[in-house]
Structure formats: C-alpha cells, structure tokens
Amino acid sequence: MEGGEAECEEKATTLESEYGDKFATVVHSVHPRGLPGETAGKHSNERFAGQFAYEHFVQDRAFDIDSIIVCSMDSDTLHTERYFMKIEAEMQKNPSHVYNTIFASPFYNYQNMYDPQVPGFNANFDQLWAMLSLGILARSNSEFKFPASSYCVPMRFLRDLDFWDGGPEGIAEDEHMALKAFFRNQWKGGNSHHL
C-alpha cells in the first residue's frame, strides 16, 4: 500500500479479511512517501514491497527462497489459473532454469475498454499496446521477450537483481526489469527466458 494514500491501512485490512482464506498467508506493507532517491510510481512501490516480502518471508520466517515467486500486477489484472499452473510446472521441471526467468503473461487491456469513464484515446491506446504486447510474446524466434505490466519473478532472482529500481531509471518498470534480467544473464553467461 502507498503510505501517501488516504486510508491505506483500512484498505489493506479489508483486503486481508476478504482474501485471507484464499491464501496460506496474507500480509501487507505500507510504502512511505518520499524515501531518499525514490520517485513516485509503480517501480518504487514494487521495490519497497519486494524488499519487505524478502525480509518478512525469507529472513524472518525462513521460507525457502526458491519456492517463492513474486508477481507484479496492476489492480485490474486477471490471470487465469493456467498461468500459475504453468509457472509451478516450470519450477518443478527445471529449477535451475526457472531461477533466472521472468514469467511474462499474456496481456489484455480489455478490462476497462467499455467503461464510459475511460477516455476514448486511452482505450484505443490500450488496445494498440495489448496487440503489440501479444505480438512480442508470440515471437517464437527469440528467447527474450518483454513483459507488459504483469509478470512474475522468482524471489532469488529478484533479490540478485537488487529488486526493482526506485529512482527515475526504474520508470517503465516492466521493461526496465526485463533489461536488468537480460543484461545480468548475459554477463553471467546465461539466457533470459520468458513463458
């Protein structure tokens, strides 16, 4: 939750009570506004939440770091159950391959397309972006594919990448994270793989 948002604690408590029985555990963090070196945005919120999750689950509770996948999603993202089943299957099939993987999901911007509150320009741009994103994921001749908006990263890989960047360089966090992963893997002699 963003600390600068009014009633963020109440919203977090509502979400925890509403979805708490759907997961093994539900926790929340509150990202304070104006941390040194940060710019406001999804990227800095994710950095704070990723570091919180690492400290909470891996350091404090001794969860197996290799069993944790961190997902970045917008509030209107809807993933199919198959997406998570595919990630789980990949983790079991080849754990060393999965370690340096960003799991890019198909991206559809249709959730709000017919909402009269969404300006026509935004709706049209979202449709164009969705088509471009699907085209990128459909390319079979490249192992490197940019995620768009929603994706999952193994906690170990996220930690080794030093989480998301919180400054202005981290804006367009999905593409920035993909580039961090790509260059780290190239430097280490590995590959960047996406679903």
Side-chain angles (χ1 to χ4, degrees):
M1 303 301 290
E2 292 185 76
E5 183 181 346
E7 302 173 0
C8 68
E9 288 285 352
E10 292 81 3
K11 288 180 183 179
T13 302
T14 300
L15 289 169
E16 286 174 346
S17 64
E18 189 172 334
Y19 296 102
D21 62 342
K22 309 273 190 268
F23 299 93
T25 185
V26 176
V27 297
H28 75 276
S29 63
V30 177
H31 178 205
R33 181 176 282 185
L35 292 177
E38 284 191 351
T39 53
K42 183 178 177 182
H43 63 295
S44 56
N45 291 339
E46 288 176 323
R47 178 175 179 79
F48 187 86
Q51 290 172 329
F52 170 84
Y54 177 74
E55 291 170 8
H56 180 81
F57 291 110
V58 178
Q59 292 181 331
D60 297 345
R61 302 235 169 126
F63 279 46
D64 177 11
I65 192 170
D66 294 319
S67 69
I68 301 172
I69 297 287
V70 178
C71 296
S72 168
M73 297 181 272
D74 293 340
S75 61
D76 61 349
T77 299
L78 296 175
H79 284 298
T80 68
E81 186 177 324
R82 289 181 184 176
Y83 173 63
F84 296 107
M85 290 169 63
K86 177 69 172 169
I87 292 172
E88 185 176 11
E90 289 290 319
M91 289 178 71
Q92 292 174 2
K93 182 171 76 176
N94 190 349
S96 62
H97 160 80
V98 170
Y99 161 70
N100 64 353
T101 301
I102 292 178
F103 296 98
S105 67
F107 177 73
Y108 304 100
N109 263 355
Y110 298 114
Q111 293 297 93
N112 303 318
M113 184 172 123
Y114 300 108
D115 185 339
Q117 301 296 320
V118 176
F121 174 80
N122 291 38
N124 289 331
F125 183 80
D126 283 349
Q127 296 312 302
L128 180 63
W129 182 240
M131 287 186 284
L132 175 66
S133 300
L134 286 172
I136 289 170
L137 290 177
R139 284 179 48 207
S140 60
N141 62 344
S142 172
E143 289 190 8
F144 181 76
K145 300 170 183 164
F146 281 103
S149 179
S150 300
Y151 53 95
C152 296
V153 184
M155 178 62 87
R156 180 182 296 279
F157 193 33
L158 189 60
R159 181 206 60 195
D160 290 352
L161 291 169
D162 193 27
F163 303 93
W164 288 268
D165 289 334
E169 73 282 358
I171 297 175
E173 48 67 44
D174 45 7
E175 294 177 6
H176 185 76
M177 180 57 79
L179 289 172
K180 279 179 73 168
F182 175 77
F183 287 116
R184 181 193 180 279
N185 283 341
Q186 294 304 309
W187 177 62
K188 294 277 189 183
N191 295 309
S192 183
H193 302 282
H194 295 64
L195 288 179

PDB file of all heavy atoms in Angstrom, residues 1 11 33 52 68 75-76 96-97 101 105 111 123 125 131 141-142 158-159:
ATOM      1  N   MET A   1       0.844  -1.177   0.000  1.00  0.00           N
ATOM      2  CA  MET A   1       0.000   0.000   0.000  1.00  0.00           C
ATOM      3  C   MET A   1       0.888   1.238   0.000  1.00  0.00           C
ATOM      4  O   MET A   1       1.979   1.231   0.547  1.00  0.00           O
ATOM      5  CB  MET A   1      -0.902   0.006   1.237  1.00  0.00           C
ATOM      6  CG  MET A   1      -1.787  -1.222   1.411  1.00  0.00           C
ATOM      7  SD  MET A   1      -2.933  -1.561   0.069  1.00  0.00           S
ATOM      8  CE  MET A   1      -4.088  -0.256   0.240  1.00  0.00           C
ATOM      9  N   LYS A  11      -7.806  -0.023   3.852  1.00  0.00           N
ATOM     10  CA  LYS A  11      -7.929  -0.804   2.612  1.00  0.00           C
ATOM     11  C   LYS A  11      -7.180  -2.127   2.734  1.00  0.00           C
ATOM     12  O   LYS A  11      -7.670  -3.170   2.304  1.00  0.00           O
ATOM     13  CB  LYS A  11      -7.381  -0.010   1.428  1.00  0.00           C
ATOM     14  CG  LYS A  11      -8.255   1.145   1.021  1.00  0.00           C
ATOM     15  CD  LYS A  11      -7.647   1.878  -0.162  1.00  0.00           C
ATOM     16  CE  LYS A  11      -8.482   3.086  -0.529  1.00  0.00           C
ATOM     17  NZ  LYS A  11      -7.907   3.827  -1.653  1.00  0.00           N
ATOM     18  N   ARG A  33       5.921   7.604   1.641  1.00  0.00           N
ATOM     19  CA  ARG A  33       6.165   8.540   0.546  1.00  0.00           C
ATOM     20  C   ARG A  33       7.488   9.275   0.786  1.00  0.00           C
ATOM     21  O   ARG A  33       7.846   9.576   1.919  1.00  0.00           O
ATOM     22  CB  ARG A  33       5.027   9.545   0.474  1.00  0.00           C
ATOM     23  CG  ARG A  33       5.181  10.564  -0.654  1.00  0.00           C
ATOM     24  CD  ARG A  33       4.007  11.448  -0.738  1.00  0.00           C
ATOM     25  NE  ARG A  33       2.953  10.681  -1.424  1.00  0.00           N
ATOM     26  CZ  ARG A  33       1.791  11.178  -1.768  1.00  0.00           C
ATOM     27  NH1 ARG A  33       1.475  12.406  -1.469  1.00  0.00           N
ATOM     28  NH2 ARG A  33       0.912  10.435  -2.390  1.00  0.00           N
ATOM     29  N   PHE A  52      10.306  -5.840   1.404  1.00  0.00           N
ATOM     30  CA  PHE A  52       9.507  -6.238   2.563  1.00  0.00           C
ATOM     31  C   PHE A  52       9.220  -7.741   2.525  1.00  0.00           C
ATOM     32  O   PHE A  52       9.378  -8.446   3.529  1.00  0.00           O
ATOM     33  CB  PHE A  52       8.187  -5.451   2.609  1.00  0.00           C
ATOM     34  CG  PHE A  52       7.221  -5.970   3.637  1.00  0.00           C
ATOM     35  CD1 PHE A  52       7.312  -5.573   4.962  1.00  0.00           C
ATOM     36  CD2 PHE A  52       6.224  -6.880   3.291  1.00  0.00           C
ATOM     37  CE1 PHE A  52       6.428  -6.070   5.920  1.00  0.00           C
ATOM     38  CE2 PHE A  52       5.342  -7.379   4.234  1.00  0.00           C
ATOM     39  CZ  PHE A  52       5.442  -6.967   5.559  1.00  0.00           C
ATOM     40  N   ILE A  68       9.496 -19.263  -3.679  1.00  0.00           N
ATOM     41  CA  ILE A  68       8.712 -18.026  -3.693  1.00  0.00           C
ATOM     42  C   ILE A  68       8.807 -17.369  -5.063  1.00  0.00           C
ATOM     43  O   ILE A  68       9.892 -17.147  -5.587  1.00  0.00           O
ATOM     44  CB  ILE A  68       9.206 -17.040  -2.617  1.00  0.00           C
ATOM     45  CG1 ILE A  68       9.103 -17.664  -1.220  1.00  0.00           C
ATOM     46  CG2 ILE A  68       8.431 -15.727  -2.697  1.00  0.00           C
ATOM     47  CD1 ILE A  68       9.733 -16.833  -0.130  1.00  0.00           C
ATOM     48  N   SER A  75      -3.895  -3.374 -10.528  1.00  0.00           N
ATOM     49  CA  SER A  75      -5.056  -3.712  -9.703  1.00  0.00           C
ATOM     50  C   SER A  75      -6.188  -4.351 -10.501  1.00  0.00           C
ATOM     51  O   SER A  75      -7.016  -5.061  -9.937  1.00  0.00           O
ATOM     52  CB  SER A  75      -5.576  -2.473  -8.976  1.00  0.00           C
ATOM     53  OG  SER A  75      -5.992  -1.489  -9.917  1.00  0.00           O
ATOM     54  N   ASP A  76      -6.227  -4.124 -11.822  1.00  0.00           N
ATOM     55  CA  ASP A  76      -7.299  -4.727 -12.621  1.00  0.00           C
ATOM     56  C   ASP A  76      -6.831  -5.957 -13.392  1.00  0.00           C
ATOM     57  O   ASP A  76      -7.523  -6.439 -14.277  1.00  0.00           O
ATOM     58  CB  ASP A  76      -7.903  -3.694 -13.577  1.00  0.00           C
ATOM     59  CG  ASP A  76      -6.887  -3.131 -14.570  1.00  0.00           C
ATOM     60  OD1 ASP A  76      -5.675  -3.376 -14.398  1.00  0.00           O
ATOM     61  OD2 ASP A  76      -7.304  -2.437 -15.511  1.00  0.00           O
ATOM     62  N   SER A  96      16.766 -24.933 -11.966  1.00  0.00           N
ATOM     63  CA  SER A  96      17.899 -24.053 -12.266  1.00  0.00           C
ATOM     64  C   SER A  96      17.587 -23.134 -13.439  1.00  0.00           C
ATOM     65  O   SER A  96      18.063 -22.000 -13.497  1.00  0.00           O
ATOM     66  CB  SER A  96      19.158 -24.872 -12.559  1.00  0.00           C
ATOM     67  OG  SER A  96      18.959 -25.684 -13.692  1.00  0.00           O
ATOM     68  N   HIS A  97      16.763 -23.583 -14.370  1.00  0.00           N
ATOM     69  CA  HIS A  97      16.329 -22.739 -15.485  1.00  0.00           C
ATOM     70  C   HIS A  97      15.390 -21.640 -14.984  1.00  0.00           C
ATOM     71  O   HIS A  97      15.475 -20.494 -15.399  1.00  0.00           O
ATOM     72  CB  HIS A  97      15.636 -23.596 -16.547  1.00  0.00           C
ATOM     73  CG  HIS A  97      14.761 -22.841 -17.479  1.00  0.00           C
ATOM     74  ND1 HIS A  97      15.250 -22.134 -18.551  1.00  0.00           N
ATOM     75  CD2 HIS A  97      13.421 -22.663 -17.497  1.00  0.00           C
ATOM     76  CE1 HIS A  97      14.242 -21.555 -19.196  1.00  0.00           C
ATOM     77  NE2 HIS A  97      13.126 -21.875 -18.572  1.00  0.00           N
ATOM     78  N   THR A 101      14.425 -16.618 -14.663  1.00  0.00           N
ATOM     79  CA  THR A 101      13.311 -16.450 -15.589  1.00  0.00           C
ATOM     80  C   THR A 101      12.364 -15.354 -15.114  1.00  0.00           C
ATOM     81  O   THR A 101      12.053 -15.260 -13.941  1.00  0.00           O
ATOM     82  CB  THR A 101      12.519 -17.773 -15.715  1.00  0.00           C
ATOM     83  OG1 THR A 101      13.400 -18.787 -16.169  1.00  0.00           O
ATOM     84  CG2 THR A 101      11.357 -17.643 -16.664  1.00  0.00           C
ATOM     85  N   SER A 105       3.248 -12.791 -18.771  1.00  0.00           N
ATOM     86  CA  SER A 105       1.912 -13.326 -19.024  1.00  0.00           C
ATOM     87  C   SER A 105       1.301 -12.626 -20.229  1.00  0.00           C
ATOM     88  O   SER A 105       1.681 -11.503 -20.559  1.00  0.00           O
ATOM     89  CB  SER A 105       1.018 -13.113 -17.806  1.00  0.00           C
ATOM     90  OG  SER A 105       0.780 -11.728 -17.624  1.00  0.00           O
ATOM     91  N   GLN A 111     -10.148  -4.956 -19.809  1.00  0.00           N
ATOM     92  CA  GLN A 111     -10.941  -4.858 -18.590  1.00  0.00           C
ATOM     93  C   GLN A 111     -11.808  -3.598 -18.565  1.00  0.00           C
ATOM     94  O   GLN A 111     -12.950  -3.642 -18.160  1.00  0.00           O
ATOM     95  CB  GLN A 111     -10.041  -4.859 -17.360  1.00  0.00           C
ATOM     96  CG  GLN A 111      -9.324  -6.148 -17.128  1.00  0.00           C
ATOM     97  CD  GLN A 111     -10.292  -7.261 -16.858  1.00  0.00           C
ATOM     98  OE1 GLN A 111     -10.705  -7.967 -17.760  1.00  0.00           O
ATOM     99  NE2 GLN A 111     -10.664  -7.422 -15.630  1.00  0.00           N
ATOM    100  N   ALA A 123      -8.499   4.228 -24.278  1.00  0.00           N
ATOM    101  CA  ALA A 123      -8.992   2.903 -24.654  1.00  0.00           C
ATOM    102  C   ALA A 123      -8.340   2.438 -25.948  1.00  0.00           C
ATOM    103  O   ALA A 123      -7.909   1.294 -26.065  1.00  0.00           O
ATOM    104  CB  ALA A 123     -10.510   2.918 -24.783  1.00  0.00           C
ATOM    105  N   PHE A 125      -5.451   3.496 -27.242  1.00  0.00           N
ATOM    106  CA  PHE A 125      -4.029   3.275 -26.998  1.00  0.00           C
ATOM    107  C   PHE A 125      -3.812   1.942 -26.276  1.00  0.00           C
ATOM    108  O   PHE A 125      -2.895   1.198 -26.600  1.00  0.00           O
ATOM    109  CB  PHE A 125      -3.433   4.422 -26.178  1.00  0.00           C
ATOM    110  CG  PHE A 125      -1.956   4.268 -25.972  1.00  0.00           C
ATOM    111  CD1 PHE A 125      -1.062   4.610 -26.965  1.00  0.00           C
ATOM    112  CD2 PHE A 125      -1.458   3.759 -24.771  1.00  0.00           C
ATOM    113  CE1 PHE A 125       0.300   4.461 -26.788  1.00  0.00           C
ATOM    114  CE2 PHE A 125      -0.101   3.601 -24.573  1.00  0.00           C
ATOM    115  CZ  PHE A 125       0.787   3.959 -25.590  1.00  0.00           C
ATOM    116  N   MET A 131      -2.169  -5.350 -28.398  1.00  0.00           N
ATOM    117  CA  MET A 131      -1.809  -6.079 -29.616  1.00  0.00           C
ATOM    118  C   MET A 131      -0.287  -6.165 -29.763  1.00  0.00           C
ATOM    119  O   MET A 131       0.250  -7.216 -30.112  1.00  0.00           O
ATOM    120  CB  MET A 131      -2.433  -5.414 -30.840  1.00  0.00           C
ATOM    121  CG  MET A 131      -3.930  -5.639 -30.938  1.00  0.00           C
ATOM    122  SD  MET A 131      -4.640  -4.992 -32.468  1.00  0.00           S
ATOM    123  CE  MET A 131      -4.653  -3.241 -32.121  1.00  0.00           C
ATOM    124  N   ASN A 141      10.972 -16.769 -32.464  1.00  0.00           N
ATOM    125  CA  ASN A 141      12.382 -16.786 -32.837  1.00  0.00           C
ATOM    126  C   ASN A 141      13.281 -16.084 -31.828  1.00  0.00           C
ATOM    127  O   ASN A 141      14.446 -15.860 -32.089  1.00  0.00           O
ATOM    128  CB  ASN A 141      12.556 -16.150 -34.215  1.00  0.00           C
ATOM    129  CG  ASN A 141      12.128 -14.695 -34.235  1.00  0.00           C
ATOM    130  OD1 ASN A 141      11.440 -14.234 -33.330  1.00  0.00           O
ATOM    131  ND2 ASN A 141      12.513 -13.983 -35.272  1.00  0.00           N
ATOM    132  N   SER A 142      12.751 -15.742 -30.690  1.00  0.00           N
ATOM    133  CA  SER A 142      13.558 -15.052 -29.696  1.00  0.00           C
ATOM    134  C   SER A 142      13.230 -15.577 -28.306  1.00  0.00           C
ATOM    135  O   SER A 142      12.067 -15.749 -27.961  1.00  0.00           O
ATOM    136  CB  SER A 142      13.276 -13.546 -29.748  1.00  0.00           C
ATOM    137  OG  SER A 142      13.920 -12.892 -28.673  1.00  0.00           O
ATOM    138  N   LEU A 158      14.980 -12.056  -8.111  1.00  0.00           N
ATOM    139  CA  LEU A 158      14.623 -10.686  -7.761  1.00  0.00           C
ATOM    140  C   LEU A 158      15.627 -10.107  -6.771  1.00  0.00           C
ATOM    141  O   LEU A 158      16.100  -8.979  -6.929  1.00  0.00           O
ATOM    142  CB  LEU A 158      13.205 -10.666  -7.174  1.00  0.00           C
ATOM    143  CG  LEU A 158      12.567  -9.314  -6.934  1.00  0.00           C
ATOM    144  CD1 LEU A 158      12.451  -8.510  -8.212  1.00  0.00           C
ATOM    145  CD2 LEU A 158      11.195  -9.493  -6.299  1.00  0.00           C
ATOM    146  N   ARG A 159      15.984 -10.881  -5.764  1.00  0.00           N
ATOM    147  CA  ARG A 159      16.984 -10.434  -4.786  1.00  0.00           C
ATOM    148  C   ARG A 159      18.332 -10.185  -5.457  1.00  0.00           C
ATOM    149  O   ARG A 159      18.988  -9.174  -5.214  1.00  0.00           O
ATOM    150  CB  ARG A 159      17.138 -11.467  -3.687  1.00  0.00           C
ATOM    151  CG  ARG A 159      18.152 -11.030  -2.615  1.00  0.00           C
ATOM    152  CD  ARG A 159      18.790 -12.172  -1.896  1.00  0.00           C
ATOM    153  NE  ARG A 159      19.511 -13.058  -2.801  1.00  0.00           N
ATOM    154  CZ  ARG A 159      19.914 -14.265  -2.470  1.00  0.00           C
ATOM    155  NH1 ARG A 159      19.657 -14.753  -1.273  1.00  0.00           N
ATOM    156  NH2 ARG A 159      20.565 -15.027  -3.343  1.00  0.00           N
TER     157      ARG A 159
END
